[in-house]
Amino acid sequence: MPDLIAQGPQSDDRWRREVPSSTSGNEITLGRTGADWNVPWDAMVSRNHARLIPLADDRLQVRRMPTARNAVFHRGKQSTQFVVVPGDHFVIGQTTFTLVNRPGASESSSGSEFTEHAYDHVDLKKRHFRDAASRIEMLGRLPDLITSSLSDEELLVRVTGVLLQATPNASAVAVVAVAEQNNPTEQADTELEPAIEILHYDSRTVGRDGPTVSARLVRSTIRKRESMLHLWSGSRANSAAFTASEEADWAFCVPLRSDACAGWALYVTGGLIADAKQDLERSLQAAPENLQDDVKFTELVATTISNLRQSRRLQRRQSELRHFFAPIVLEALATQGADEVLAPREADLSVLFCDLRGFSRQSEQGSSDLLGLLARVSDALGVMTRHILDCRGVIGDFHGDAAMGFWGWPLQQEDAAVRAVDAASRIRDDYRAGTKVGGFRCGIGIATGRAVAGRIGTVDQVKVTAFGPVVNLASRLEALTKRFGVEVILDEATYSIVSASPNSSFFLRRLGKVVPAGFSQAANMYELMLPGGLTAEQVKQHQQALEWFEAGQWSEAERLLTQLPSADRPSELLLAMIRKYNGQPPSSWDKVVIE
């Protein structure tokens, strides 16, 4: 496809951009600001001035927009709609727009006589610029100029512009790439060289083709991963000795050493003094030294581009991974390799299981609108996941209408248990307030202990989660919330850490000993209580009743329990067991609250 060159009144007021293919369906808005292609230097160009429509055979249709204040001139006349071909131009205000063909990569110059010179990039870093003031001034503007580009297309436009401005003797600049070899063995057998793609090209010439790109130089640069210079030693009378143009005596190519720019290089070509053959020969001999500053500057530009694209690549990758990994996992991945971060390993974890209450009932009622039910469930689960992530936890898994989160991996968290209880408190508060939970309630279990966390699974499916008895315990505690009639239950390990934490302000009480399903030993359970429920005196009364209950003094326990509000389900659970056995502990009783 051809390029469109915009040239304003000043030499720096310019850009060159590739016109989209006519088959792409893309149309371009030309304007001063806020358009697809902006001409910020020309006040006579309206905010949205013209529409550019690519046509077949490298033609371009131009339509003046109704909102444009000033005329568009084509072939000396005002026109509202016309077609330009390569070599043709139109004018808006003080800016001339010229459609030109983009030169390709030339193989013909490969066979001509040339001298090759390699620059060591480590040695270039040690050398000082001869004209340090002007170089430093441009380098100071380089980061903002390049990093403010919002797309790769804009980045390449700015890079070629910077290099043309910074290299006075350059006649053309290109950003090029060597195509990947899909089948290196077949490539070697057929002796086919990889194709050269010109990602962007700019030259000082307007209205005619500039120098082509030497494919041989580009391939040599990418292969050796060093900046290379080619000097053509023939006479200008024989244009075949140059890069298909009498304006090029030399060309250098600088590789971009980054995975984000694999196979990319910056190509700069230009001319030398040619007053006489002897002068040209001397210039050719001195060229490697004379061009050293230009190569060094181009190396710095290449490094800036590489770092920027690498940074953007990581940002895109993190953005994509954000749907799969918690922020704390992404933080670890930013400084360590994925294999190291995600490898399964033992860690001290606090695990939270949160289950929806009322799911079965709503499933039955909503059977005629399953998509609506799915939306409500997704919103309700979203409340869980949001608070787990906000408290710097990891979403371990979803189990139908339940979610599992954990703390303490991939980075150690001394306050993992506190964070887990904080997340549970926030989830419970949102569910009680009815905040985007679709009419559901919740039950939450939290356990702390040793587990394996990381990338766990089979050869067929892998996910990041946690595994071990503590995970099973958290799930069993969540199920026990139904029996106790409470919303959040903690195990003893979590309770011990949270109650001893100076940053903890949670209201906790012991519920008694229980043997969770699948476990053989009884363990104490604790409730994360709601503020404003039982008074401190009532909680103290319940705890005393629980101690008498476990001591077998059931009559004393019953007397205290009957004084507590009937809405307190844990108290009612103890009363129910006492009355079941007529106030006397059975001989086989092992002091558990729930049989």
Side-chain angles (χ1 to χ4, degrees), residues 74 117 226 229 245 277 340 347 459 519 521 586:
H74 178 235
H117 179 84
E226 289 288 357
L229 169 68
S245 170
K277 184 177 180 181
E340 181 182 357
V459 294
F519 288 76
Q521 299 294 321

Side-chain angles (χ1 to χ4, degrees), residues 166-289:
T167 316
N169 293 328
S171 54
V173 173
V175 183
V176 297
V178 174
E180 293 184 5
Q181 299 182 22
N182 296 325
N183 191 335
T185 302
E186 180 181 343
Q187 194 93 15
D189 292 342
T190 58
E191 297 184 355
L192 292 176
E193 294 283 6
I196 304 298
E197 181 184 2
I198 299 179
L199 304 177
H200 194 72
Y201 180 97
D202 203 355
S203 70
R204 298 191 192 279
T205 61
V206 178
R208 57 191 176 89
D209 295 347
T212 57
V213 172
S214 169
R216 182 167 184 170
L217 173 56
V218 174
R219 294 190 188 106
S220 178
T221 298
I222 297 301
R223 184 173 62 254
K224 297 177 181 179
R225 293 180 64 81
E226 289 288 357
S227 295
M228 309 294 296
L229 169 68
H230 277 191
L231 297 164
W232 286 274
S233 57
S235 167
R236 283 208 177 128
N238 178 13
S239 62
F242 310 106
T243 54
S245 170
E246 67 278 5
E247 298 175 5
D249 299 300
W250 56 264
F252 65 77
C253 194
V254 173
L256 274 67
R257 304 176 184 91
S258 166
D259 291 341
C261 307
W264 283 32
L266 301 180
Y267 183 95
V268 182
T269 185
L272 299 170
I273 301 173
D275 294 336
K277 184 177 180 181
Q278 185 67 27
D279 291 334
L280 179 59
E281 289 177 355
R282 290 176 181 172
S283 296
L284 287 168
Q285 293 174 3
E289 181 69 22

Side-chain angles (χ1 to χ4, degrees), residues 44-260:
M44 297 184 70
V45 177
S46 298
R47 183 180 180 85
N48 290 289
H49 204 109
R51 175 76 66 182
L52 309 180
I53 305 171
L55 303 176
D57 301 325
D58 292 344
R59 297 174 302 150
L60 183 66
Q61 185 180 75
V62 182
R63 295 180 182 174
R64 179 178 176 272
M65 302 184 75
T67 55
R69 298 190 311 273
N70 297 307
V72 179
F73 291 88
H74 178 235
R75 297 180 180 176
K77 297 180 180 180
Q78 293 189 27
S79 301
T80 58
Q81 181 174 315
F82 52 90
V83 174
V84 293
V85 297
D88 201 357
H89 69 273
F90 60 95
V91 178
I92 304 175
Q94 295 180 296
T95 304
T96 300
F97 300 88
T98 306
L99 191 67
V100 298
N101 286 316
R102 170 175 293 190
S106 172
E107 301 287 350
S108 62
S109 60
S110 305
S112 57
E113 187 178 352
F114 67 92
T115 301
E116 183 174 86
H117 179 84
Y119 293 92
D120 187 317
H121 69 278
V122 176
D123 184 56
L124 280 176
K125 288 181 180 179
K126 298 177 182 177
R127 293 178 176 266
H128 298 290
F129 286 116
R130 287 189 291 268
D131 183 11
S134 63
R135 298 287 181 171
I136 291 173
E137 189 273 333
M138 186 165 290
L139 285 172
R141 294 190 289 116
L142 183 62
D144 286 341
L145 186 66
I146 292 180
T147 56
S148 60
S149 58
L150 300 179
S151 65
D152 275 349
E153 178 189 13
E154 185 65 26
L155 172 65
L156 300 185
V157 169
R158 295 188 180 192
V159 165
T160 54
V162 165
L163 290 177
L164 269 180
Q165 183 181 355
T167 316
N169 293 328
S171 54
V173 173
V175 183
V176 297
V178 174
E180 293 184 5
Q181 299 182 22
N182 296 325
N183 191 335
T185 302
E186 180 181 343
Q187 194 93 15
D189 292 342
T190 58
E191 297 184 355
L192 292 176
E193 294 283 6
I196 304 298
E197 181 184 2
I198 299 179
L199 304 177
H200 194 72
Y201 180 97
D202 203 355
S203 70
R204 298 191 192 279
T205 61
V206 178
R208 57 191 176 89
D209 295 347
T212 57
V213 172
S214 169
R216 182 167 184 170
L217 173 56
V218 174
R219 294 190 188 106
S220 178
T221 298
I222 297 301
R223 184 173 62 254
K224 297 177 181 179
R225 293 180 64 81
E226 289 288 357
S227 295
M228 309 294 296
L229 169 68
H230 277 191
L231 297 164
W232 286 274
S233 57
S235 167
R236 283 208 177 128
N238 178 13
S239 62
F242 310 106
T243 54
S245 170
E246 67 278 5
E247 298 175 5
D249 299 300
W250 56 264
F252 65 77
C253 194
V254 173
L256 274 67
R257 304 176 184 91
S258 166
D259 291 341

Side-chain angles (χ1 to χ4, degrees), residues 315-388:
Q315 288 174 356
R316 286 194 298 268
R317 182 179 296 174
Q318 285 201 332
S319 179
E320 293 167 356
L321 291 176
R322 201 170 301 280
H323 299 289
F324 303 97
F325 295 121
I328 192 171
V329 179
L330 294 178
E331 289 177 20
L333 288 172
T335 57
Q336 304 175 59
D339 290 340
E340 181 182 357
V341 171
L342 302 180
R345 65 176 183 276
E346 284 194 20
D348 292 320
L349 303 184
S350 289
V351 182
L352 177 151
F353 259 88
C354 184
D355 182 63
L356 296 181
R357 297 285 185 261
F359 177 75
S360 298
R361 183 182 68 256
Q362 288 208 36
S363 296
E364 182 179 358
Q365 296 173 350
S367 59
S368 60
D369 182 19
L370 293 179
L371 288 177
L373 175 64
L374 175 62
R376 293 196 300 277
V377 171
S378 296
D379 286 343
L381 290 174
V383 171
M384 303 179 190
T385 58
R386 173 166 57 84
H387 288 305
I388 291 172

